[in-house]
Amino acid sequence: MAEDLILELKGITKIFPGVKALDNVQFQLRRGEIHALMGENGAGKSTFIKVITGVHAAEEGHMYLNGQEVHFKGTQDAGAAGIAAVYQIPTSYMELTVTENIFIGHEIMKNGIIQWREMNKKAEELLARLHANFKVTEEVGALTIAQQQMVEIAKALSTDAKIIILDEPTAALTANESEELYRIVDELHEQGVSVIFISHRMEDMYRLAQRVTVFRDSRYIDTFDVDKITDKDLIKAMVGREITDMYPKPKVQIGQEIFKIENFSRLGYFKDVSLSVRAGEIVGLTGLVGAGRTETFQCVCGIEKPDSGRVFMNGKEVRIRKPKDAMEAGIILLPEDRRRQGLIMSWSLCDNVTLPIIEKLSKNNFIDHKKEYELSRNYLESVDTKAVSIFDKASTLSGGNQQKVVVAKALAQDHMKVVVMDEPTKGVDVGAKAEIYGIMGELAQKGYGIILISSEMPEILGMSDRIYVMCQGRVTGCLDREEVTQEKILELAMDQSGREVS
Amino acid sequence: MAGKSGRTIAATPQTGLKQKLLSLEGALVIIFILINVFGRVLSPNYNLSNVMRESPRYLAEIFMLFGMGFILVLGDIDISVGSIVCLSATIGCLTSNAGLPMGLAILITLLTGLCCGMINGFIATRFTELPTMIVTLGTQIIFRGIAEVSLGSGGSASLKDYEGIGILRAKVGPIPLAFFLIIICAVIFVIVLSRTTFGRHLYAIGSSKTAAQYAGVEVQKIRFFCFTLIGFLAGICGLFILASTYGANTTTGQGFEMEVIAMCVFGGIATTGGKGNLVGAFIASLVIVCLRIALGQINMNTQLILVIIGAMLIISVLVPSFRQRFLTLKKK
């Protein structure tokens, strides 16, 4: 029996100057199927998507749509053929309304005049199809990222797309928002739309896809039926080796309490937050997004000003008024948004690593470049950064490697005692994730205190010795590794009245 | 210490003579030489003593170039400096005329500039949501307004005692004192920006204010300092203008801010922050000054000179992107 394929690609090869981005790759999409595309960063997924949507032309290979061979010369061709892509970071115009964004480029016109009423009506229909709970007249900038993604999906639907490609749709979403997205994708599926989606999250794939195709090192590895594979097989296919232990948590002799915060409050964000960390301990801090976790530690580290709150290092109170005070006290923050807060993307790796300690690498304020190069190389190598030279720009690295640079930057501050890692594995592929967990374990072994702020349940459960849960700006509980379960955490993360806090 | 995988990362910077010659600074030096040859061919009057005689107004302006370089690298802009020049020259002139000793009047002139800079810095760092373009547009109008009010209905003031300020007009041979001061300033500012931790912090702020803050750079303190610094330099400029024109009027320093910004941009400093250096800006300023004097020597209409300089500015900003295109073409 011949399969009903809506899209088929055979022998696709794409060469960029100096690199083979895709090497004889194949792919089959059945009509009405949800198909996951997985692989590490740099495996060629994004390039492959760009070949499908006509952004790149492949050097070799054939592409068949509904059995007919097609050649797309640009994104317009792909759009006309019913293929639409929704990218990881919404590309909407923030100042425009939902309607304007949905119909941008293909406004409904009559004699050159835009038909607002008709467009609003159509937009409402599209949003109703997605069960969206916002108005078409709202400005997109005022919506959450999840809602912005719905706008993007609605935009894709407005062009009557038969194939929708979602590029890491859940990377920027919270657990609840991801649920919402799953529901939408399910609905698209029921309406007969075929979906290709790229994701690093196993959860996404198990929850949604019927089949999964894995790429590695620009090559096609295999296609699996989702209900017939295990985590282990999939990771092996993606990484090319077996990861025996995703969460390599070494046995650590936990020492004295080294860090404590008391009664941190900031009006409208969090109230009376107290917690402590011991030497060698990994303390998880979880809760729904918006529970005040990130905001609390922005205040502790001097980025924002709290209304009240005291910080103790080794039992002695330290006053923190600005980020430098926190660093000098030995509290190092690895911020949530590494592209904006953690690194200067246009700078070299070396300059990024040495920025916080540049004064120590100077004599009479003159920078000692030799010292600077040597030191940054040592730290970048110690975390196994995949880079050619310390003069590579940060923007040229993959997400996982950028995170390693952020870690190297923290390690270079040699008086570090406590590390606060805010969502350290967000947007990082499986292989690099395991490496980052490995580094965390090593740091704990060396006696540092670690605070892991994360929304990802498996990593919180896998790495933490103790877990604090926050809800609506308050700490609602602290669980030990032995007693903790996913249910207990969720219970504490939800509002008492059972209502979910967003 | 290599990583677990034994992977190593290169740490040798790649700099060669060829790259240096191909750089923007190299190109600017060549343009500078060409302009001088061109000036010489164009007019026999284009010689050292004539150039130096014409130079004081331009030299006064170049003091502000260094501060503006810092401000632009920070990703900020200060368009009030022309008005600060006017206000400090005015206050200096009036206090001297009121009978204060020249030394004190000079000090007050410099302090006026400093205070204006502090006001800019205060507003810019206290209300970070305001773009500095707008902040300094406001103070540009305010500072000139204060100067105009102080000058009264005549709209101008002349120094009664121009003996004391004569020291600023001192010359070594044909070369004015200001020229030496500028060379000293150039050396200091270039080194501070390119070799010190302070310079590195300026680039960090200009490249990403947020990331710089997270890395412990004292963003607002540094911005405040730089605005104060350029105010002070505008005060020095005002002082030299006062010394060369023996007075101040409502149009003193008008347009200086744009001329200084143009020199910086011509020298490769991006107005978006984090890029460029003062070596380029300083050579660019000399290029522009020499060109203006050379064209002045053949009695070219001043407005026409401005048209030429404007065109040069736009072309110079386009050159790097053309160069990029050329290089990528070559790679293919």
Side-chain angles (χ1 to χ4, degrees):
Chain A
M1 186 187 80
E3 282 181 294
D4 183 14
L5 297 177
I6 185 162
L7 182 73
E8 184 176 18
L9 289 97
K10 274 187 195 161
I12 299 286
T13 297
K14 170 75 203 168
I15 299 165
F16 289 119
V19 271
K20 225 175 199 179
L22 291 172
D23 187 0
N24 195 20
V25 162
Q26 50 168 309
F27 183 78
Q28 292 182 333
L29 182 67
R30 292 181 192 148
R31 194 177 305 282
E33 138 184 88
I34 303 179
H35 197 128
L37 184 57
M38 298 186 85
E40 296 196 274
N41 287 330
K45 294 166 304 192
S46 296
T47 312
F48 182 68
I49 292 304
K50 284 180 180 157
V51 169
I52 299 181
T53 54
V55 177
H56 295 317
E59 265 76 24
E60 283 167 37
H62 307 276
M63 177 161 153
Y64 305 91
L65 190 67
N66 295 315
Q68 302 275 313
E69 183 158 8
V70 284
H71 297 281
F72 294 151
K73 291 203 177 61
T75 48
Q76 282 90 352
D77 291 355
I83 300 175
V86 175
Y87 294 100
Q88 180 181 357
I89 300 153
T91 49
S92 305
Y93 298 90
M94 295 297 161
E95 294 83 18
L96 300 184
T97 65
V98 172
T99 304
E100 285 169 318
N101 265 295
I102 290 177
F103 288 100
I104 203 139
H106 56 276
E107 290 86 354
I108 302 173
M109 307 239 253
K110 210 184 234 168
N111 307 323
I113 293 166
I114 294 183
Q115 302 297 305
W116 285 110
R117 200 174 295 179
E118 202 182 328
M119 265 164 56
N120 278 329
K121 215 178 114 208
K122 273 242 172 100
E124 268 165 24
E125 282 169 20
L126 288 169
L127 290 189
R129 243 173 103 182
L130 303 174
H131 298 284
N133 54 353
F134 50 88
K135 291 203 189 88
V136 295
T137 49
E138 269 183 86
E139 262 181 35
V140 167
L143 303 178
T144 64
I145 299 208
Q147 290 171 329
Q148 288 175 18
Q149 271 183 348
M150 283 194 207
V151 175
E152 297 270 314
I153 293 170
K155 191 160 131 190
L157 291 175
S158 74
T159 58
D160 254 339
K162 295 284 178 287
I163 300 173
I164 291 186
I165 302 166
L166 302 168
D167 188 0
E168 289 202 48
T170 55
L173 303 186
T174 65
N176 316 318
E177 288 173 333
S178 301
E179 272 309 316
E180 188 77 343
L181 186 89
Y182 295 156
R183 186 184 55 69
I184 291 171
V185 175
D186 278 338
E187 253 154 55
L188 292 176
H189 175 59
E190 273 163 34
Q191 289 164 15
V193 178
S194 311
V195 179
I196 304 173
F197 84 85
I198 300 182
S199 177
H200 286 314
R201 281 160 65 165
M202 300 279 180
E203 251 179 287
D204 293 349
M205 181 205 62
Y206 286 123
R207 178 69 177 69
L208 288 173
Q210 283 95 49
R211 291 197 303 164
V212 51
T213 292
V214 176
F215 284 4
R216 185 176 76 228
D217 300 332
S218 313
R219 290 201 181 82
Y220 169 86
I221 301 299
D222 209 345
T223 300
F224 306 94
D225 286 324
V226 169
D227 48 15
K228 285 187 198 125
I229 48 157
T230 62
D231 264 5
K232 224 175 163 186
D233 295 335
L234 196 62
I235 290 175
K236 198 179 164 193
M238 282 196 285
V239 185
R241 62 193 147 88
E242 260 178 87
I243 294 185
T244 44
D245 191 0
M246 188 70 198
Y247 304 103
K249 197 172 156 47
K251 276 254 176 304
V252 173
Q253 192 63 44
I254 290 175
Q256 294 285 314
E257 178 181 293
I258 50 170
F259 169 81
K260 184 168 75 171
I261 61 170
E262 268 182 16
N263 303 321
F264 259 78
S265 296
R266 186 171 186 223
L267 196 65
Y269 293 94
F270 51 87
K271 196 161 164 49
D272 276 337
V273 178
S274 302
L275 56 82
S276 65
V277 180
R278 288 171 290 173
E281 188 180 35
I282 301 178
V283 170
L285 179 59
T286 190
L288 304 173
V289 166
R293 300 166 302 171
T294 299
E295 292 79 2
T296 303
F297 276 92
Q298 277 179 345
C299 284
V300 171
C301 296
I303 308 285
E304 301 284 345
K305 286 202 168 50
D307 299 331
S308 67
R310 305 207 290 168
V311 181
F312 299 87
M313 292 297 294
N314 293 320
K316 271 212 273 197
E317 178 161 13
V318 283
R319 301 201 64 182
I320 293 168
R321 287 198 210 84
K322 48 183 199 241
K324 199 151 204 169
D325 296 339
M327 289 174 183
E328 265 156 25
I331 309 164
I332 310 296
L333 173 69
L334 273 59
E336 181 180 19
D337 186 346
R338 62 179 163 263
R339 303 177 64 85
R340 223 169 55 80
Q341 302 164 335
L343 294 174
I344 296 177
M345 300 307 282
S346 59
W347 275 23
S348 71
L349 308 183
C350 166
D351 288 352
N352 267 300
V353 169
T354 57
L355 180 60
I357 50 159
I358 197 70
E359 272 138 359
K360 291 193 194 95
L361 297 174
S362 323
K363 224 182 193 170
N364 305 321
N365 285 319
F366 282 83
I367 298 169
D368 182 342
H369 288 295
K370 220 176 133 194
K371 249 192 197 167
E372 188 190 7
Y373 299 156
E374 192 54 40
L375 181 134
S376 60
R377 180 173 68 174
N378 285 345
Y379 283 106
L380 287 166
E381 283 180 357
S382 77
V383 294
D384 225 1
T385 315
K386 277 178 204 148
V388 178
S389 149
I390 61 167
F391 302 104
D392 288 356
K393 282 191 176 170
S395 55
T396 61
L397 299 192
S398 68
N401 276 298
Q402 284 172 1
Q403 190 65 41
K404 287 186 203 164
V405 178
V406 178
V407 175
K409 186 176 165 185
L411 292 176
Q413 304 180 50
D414 51 10
H415 55 297
M416 172 174 88
K417 296 187 187 79
V418 176
V419 203
V420 183
M421 299 181 151
D422 196 350
E423 302 284 4
T425 62
K426 206 173 186 176
V428 169
D429 64 52
V430 187
K433 248 184 198 174
E435 286 181 75
I436 288 170
Y437 297 139
I439 295 170
M440 274 170 78
E442 279 170 35
L443 290 178
Q445 260 175 332
K446 286 181 188 151
Y448 296 109
I450 297 168
I451 297 167
L452 169 64
I453 304 177
S454 173
S455 308
E456 271 195 52
M457 212 52 99
E459 102 184 3
I460 281 279
L461 293 171
M463 293 307 295
S464 316
D465 294 302
R466 258 181 326 133
I467 297 161
Y468 287 92
V469 186
M470 280 181 78
C471 171
Q472 281 201 312
R474 286 168 188 275
V475 173
T476 46
C478 175
L479 303 164
D480 266 330
R481 186 173 178 81
E482 288 74 35
E483 56 168 338
V484 73
T485 61
Q486 193 153 344
E487 289 70 35
K488 276 187 190 168
I489 291 178
L490 276 174
E491 204 174 296
L492 290 168
M494 301 289 181
D495 193 357
Q496 253 64 30
S497 59
R499 185 169 48 88
E500 218 176 76
V501 187
S502 57
Chain B
M1 97 183 150
K4 272 156 284 171
S5 61
R7 195 185 293 118
T8 54
I9 305 171
T12 350
Q14 289 180 321
T15 42
L17 186 67
K18 202 175 156 195
Q19 264 174 323
K20 277 204 175 121
L21 284 175
L22 276 173
S23 70
L24 181 68
E25 292 77 38
L28 282 167
V29 169
I30 294 165
I31 295 174
F32 178 69
I33 295 167
L34 285 179
I35 294 254
N36 279 297
V37 171
F38 164 80
R40 191 77 193 146
V41 171
L42 215 57
S43 155
N45 294 331
Y46 187 81
N47 55 35
L48 186 66
S49 66
N50 273 334
V51 169
M52 284 302 164
R53 204 179 56 236
E54 295 283 331
S55 68
R57 174 206 180 282
Y58 300 114
L59 290 180
E61 211 174 74
I62 293 178
F63 279 108
M64 296 190 292
L65 177 88
F66 307 116
M68 191 62 87
F70 281 15
I71 291 278
L72 293 180
V73 166
L74 277 176
D76 284 313
I77 198 161
D78 186 343
I79 56 168
S80 73
V81 288
S83 296
I84 300 179
V85 169
C86 178
L87 182 59
S88 49
T90 301
I91 300 285
C93 184
L94 293 180
T95 47
S96 167
N97 287 354
L100 262 65
M102 203 57 209
L104 201 56
I106 288 175
L107 193 66
I108 288 173
T109 310
L110 297 178
L111 280 179
T112 306
L114 187 84
C115 289
C116 290
M118 284 172 81
I119 292 169
N120 281 335
F122 176 77
I123 303 173
T125 54
R126 193 65 219 284
F127 307 100
T128 47
E129 65 274 22
L130 291 178
T132 45
M133 171 77 105
I134 303 303
V135 172
T136 54
L137 176 63
T139 55
Q140 178 191 59
I141 298 165
I142 293 170
F143 295 152
R144 194 169 290 278
I146 296 172
E148 287 182 15
V149 171
S150 314
L151 288 167
S153 53
S156 71
S158 328
L159 269 182
K160 285 179 193 149
D161 160 35
Y162 49 82
E163 299 275 296
I165 209 161
I167 186 171
L168 296 176
R169 298 169 60 87
K171 282 182 180 178
V172 180
I175 301 170
L177 174 72
F179 185 79
F180 294 103
L181 285 180
I182 288 210
I183 297 293
I184 295 169
C185 278
V187 171
I188 295 172
F189 279 79
V190 163
I191 289 177
V192 166
L193 186 61
S194 61
R195 301 225 185 282
T196 67
T197 55
F198 180 78
R200 181 67 66 85
H201 284 174
L202 291 184
Y203 284 109
I205 296 169
S207 302
S208 167
K209 280 196 176 64
T210 316
Q213 191 202 4
Y214 272 84
V217 177
E218 306 214 27
V219 178
Q220 302 310 338
K221 222 180 191 173
I222 289 175
R223 289 180 68 218
F224 179 82
F225 175 79
C226 287
F227 275 103
T228 307
L229 177 71
I230 195 173
F232 180 70
L233 292 168
I236 295 182
C237 173
L239 191 63
F240 277 96
I241 293 285
L242 185 63
S244 64
T245 61
Y246 300 117
N249 59 48
T250 51
T251 61
T252 299
Q254 207 159 47
F256 277 23
E257 62 281 346
M258 288 307 161
E259 286 173 19
V260 172
I261 293 168
M263 287 171 184
C264 287
V265 173
F266 189 33
I269 298 181
T271 51
T272 43
K275 279 206 189 89
N277 65 60
L278 276 175
V279 177
F282 182 57
I283 305 172
S285 73
L286 297 181
V287 167
I288 290 183
V289 169
C290 287
L291 182 69
R292 289 183 77 156
I293 294 174
L295 294 176
Q297 288 295 329
I298 57 161
N299 293 324
M300 187 185 269
N301 179 317
T302 324
Q303 279 73 30
L304 196 57
I305 297 178
L306 292 182
V307 171
I308 292 173
I309 290 176
M312 272 175 61
L313 183 66
I314 293 177
I315 292 168
S316 75
V317 178
L318 283 176
V319 166
S321 68
F322 278 132
R323 193 166 157 247
Q324 196 60 45
R325 245 180 261 177
F326 174 73
L327 287 178
T328 44
L329 274 181
K330 220 168 122 183
K331 256 185 203 159
K332 275 181 189 171

